[in-house]
Amino acid sequence: MKTAPHSPDQPSPYEGLSASDLLAILAEKDAFITAREQQVQERDRAIRERDTRIKLLEEQLRLATIRKFAASSEKLPFQITLFDEVELEAALRELDEQLDLDGTPDDQGDAAQQRRRSRKRQRGFSAALRRERIELLLADADKEGALKTFFSKVKEELSYIPPQLKVIEYWQEKAVFAVTEAGGIEERIVAAPRPVPPLGKCFAHSSLLAYLITAKYADGLPLYRLEGILKREGHGVSRSVMANWIIRLEDVFRPLMNLLREEQNSCRYLQADETRIQVLKEDGKTAQAQKWMWVTRGGPPDRPSVLFAYDPSRSGEVAERLLDGFTGILQADGYSGYGAVCKQQGIRRIGCWDHARRKFVEASRASPAGGGKGKQGRVSKADVALSYIRRLYAIEREIADRSPAEKYRARQALSVPKLAEFKAWLTKNQSRVLKDSLTRKAIDYALNQWELLLGYCDDGELNISNALAENAIRPFAVGRKAWLFADTTRGAHASATMYSLIETAKANSLEPRTYLLHILERIGAADTVEKLEALLPWNVELPRFEKNVSAYPRNK
């Protein structure tokens, strides 16, 4: 309400008004002012919400851009150091001295030193490779009159023998006997025994089947490329025929897979994870609907197994079926589907620091500073959290070669105090971060999973992360980019079986194609449990390659 300016020569507009009228006018003004103040507050609130929404959308846009165009490595360009690394090294040295004073046998220390030395790069070629000697000879005229001649090795080269197709012809010897029967003399034929092929009447030799499985599931070659490769080698095999072979082999390998599952679920420690797979023809689901490939890794150190299982659902019922009979320790991410089976079967569950760290990595990379120093030299809260987590991983790298008892003592002495310090920082900064931002989500996830994330410190045989299970999934994820999808449910189950055999062979230091050929040549005649157990990867007599894989890469 606007009022015209009052001139001293003019009468006041309020003259002649009663007190009640003046009070009414004042009340109207107060109501008007209050309404305007509310409008201003609503506008300011809307502006703040808009600015917050813009910040969140900008953060999501930066993350989407990074995921699409930036490198997928979790290593950040600016590795912030908020803690004195000398302090960590000193603590580790003190722990080493403490362990030595407490009676660590010298032979164990020597073994640890030997393992560290074995990490150094090995030069030359593997002794397991076939070698061919080529002698470079002098001409007779060049060595005429020499006291003696000798050879010295001057160079080694790695040669490649290209694959080739050949036809194996089986000629069965048969003997004819004259047998006297009641009605006279008859002929009886005795034939030499034939090997039992895995697929019965099939023209594919076990070596071809082993090659196709390894090429598709270990090397990520889709069947249409293998079709072209075989055609160039001299005999084309259609991709539909190859797909049929692989699907039929899933039934052949099923008894062996059942043994592996029983062996794994009887162990003490399992790691689990799951990833998406597209299956075009699944009853009750569209081709675009999400389906899942589950993976579990476990077993004693000398008998590890990696098992894949396909299911269109991600419900807890799948976890209950896969973990039937397991009563040990389960390490997984924060997915709630494992909760029911852990409660029902008395399974102890621990968390995975890789999953917690990954959320802070995304928050750091999506921040305006982009995972490093800003214009004012400041760092984000996600970078600070990552510094805490890097300290935990640094400790794990340092104690990687120690015994479980020594690992437990090191974690109690070094990791537990740092974890308590980290939790205090998370709790303090939780309310200081924008709600629904990536950093806030990462902090909330870490605090909600905190008791599970602490679990690895209670046992030296446990790992800080689910990295071994994730590493087993990685070949599947790489292959999925090449073959894109599974056509049918049977094809998805067959893929799970083939990945299980390949990754279990690799976990047991076996070359996958060699192991597959070994079991394909024998599984047709494996008609007893004892014969099937002889085909398990830790029971076969095959060359083993030396492992050189660390669960805690340096760049993390």
Side-chain angles (χ1 to χ4, degrees), residues 74 269-273 297 329-333 350-358 389 392-393 396-397 411 445 452-457 459 461-471 474 550-553 556:
E74 294 181 8
Y269 174 38
L270 273 185
Q271 294 180 328
D273 205 353
R297 190 192 193 280
I329 302 172
L330 175 66
Q331 186 171 35
D333 58 12
I350 64 174
C352 170
W353 273 103
D354 271 8
H355 287 82
R357 181 194 60 198
R358 191 168 297 128
I389 297 175
L392 300 176
Y393 277 84
E396 293 304 308
R397 287 194 298 269
R411 288 168 178 171
Y445 178 88
L452 301 181
L453 292 173
L454 291 178
Y456 80 100
C457 292
D459 194 324
E461 294 184 358
L462 307 180
N463 294 320
I464 189 173
S465 74
N466 216 16
L468 295 176
E470 289 196 349
N471 290 342
R474 189 167 291 114
S550 174
Y552 315 108
K556 294 185 178 181

Side-chain angles (χ1 to χ4, degrees), residues 165 212 226-237 242:
L165 294 175
L212 294 177
L226 291 171
E227 181 180 8
I229 292 173
L230 294 179
K231 187 175 182 180
R232 292 198 306 270
E233 296 299 330
H235 184 80
V237 181
M242 290 186 282

Side-chain angles (χ1 to χ4, degrees), residues 32 43 92 101 143 177 181 197 216-217 264 283 299-300 331 367 420 431 490 506 514 532 547-548:
F32 176 78
R43 183 192 62 187
L92 291 171
L101 292 175
K143 58 184 178 180
F177 294 89
E181 298 290 346
K216 177 174 171 60
Y217 296 103
Q264 189 181 84
D283 292 340
Q331 186 171 35
S367 67
S431 59
R490 290 194 64 193
K506 290 161 62 176
T514 303
L532 282 173
K547 292 183 180 179
N548 190 22

Side-chain angles (χ1 to χ4, degrees), residues 347-369:
I347 298 173
R348 180 191 167 197
R349 184 177 174 185
I350 64 174
C352 170
W353 273 103
D354 271 8
H355 287 82
R357 181 194 60 198
R358 191 168 297 128
K359 295 181 182 299
F360 285 108
V361 170
E362 291 182 348
S364 175
R365 300 178 73 183
S367 67

Side-chain angles (χ1 to χ4, degrees), residues 142 175 187 235 288 313 398 469 498:
D142 293 334
E187 293 183 351
H235 184 80
Q288 295 76 23
S313 171
E398 185 67 25
M498 304 310 159

Side-chain angles (χ1 to χ4, degrees), residues 5-121:
H6 175 65
S7 173
D9 300 333
Q10 295 178 351
S12 172
Y14 302 110
E15 289 183 3
L17 296 177
S18 64
S20 60
D21 292 336
L22 290 174
L23 291 175
I25 292 174
L26 291 176
E28 184 179 356
K29 284 186 175 181
D30 290 342
F32 176 78
I33 293 172
T34 302
R36 291 301 299 268
E37 289 178 348
Q38 291 179 352
Q39 290 177 2
V40 172
Q41 292 175 359
E42 288 293 328
R43 183 192 62 187
D44 292 343
R45 184 180 62 81
I47 292 174
R48 288 195 301 269
E49 290 181 353
R50 181 199 63 188
D51 292 343
T52 300
R53 180 65 176 169
I54 289 174
K55 289 181 180 179
L56 294 176
L57 291 176
E58 287 178 343
E59 185 180 56
Q60 293 292 336
L61 179 60
R62 286 192 294 268
L63 180 60
T65 304
I66 290 170
R67 286 176 173 174
K68 185 173 181 62
F69 298 107
S72 60
S73 173
E74 294 181 8
K75 182 178 180 180
L76 298 176
F78 173 69
Q79 298 289 356
I80 176 176
T81 303
L82 296 180
F83 303 99
D84 188 3
E85 293 301 325
V86 177
E87 175 190 351
L88 175 61
E89 295 297 332
L92 291 171
R93 285 196 298 270
E94 291 177 2
L95 182 63
D96 285 336
E97 294 174 0
Q98 179 184 358
L99 292 175
D100 291 339
L101 292 175
D102 289 347
T104 302
D106 292 339
D107 57 351
Q108 291 187 12
D110 295 341
Q113 291 291 337
Q114 181 64 31
R115 287 194 293 271
R116 292 191 186 95
R117 286 195 294 269
S118 67
R119 292 179 181 175
K120 296 181 180 179
R121 179 181 176 185

Side-chain angles (χ1 to χ4, degrees), residues 147-159:
L147 295 177
K148 62 178 180 179
T149 62
F150 65 94
F151 290 93
S152 64
K153 185 167 64 174
V154 294
K155 186 181 181 182
E156 285 186 348
E157 292 179 340
L158 190 63
S159 176

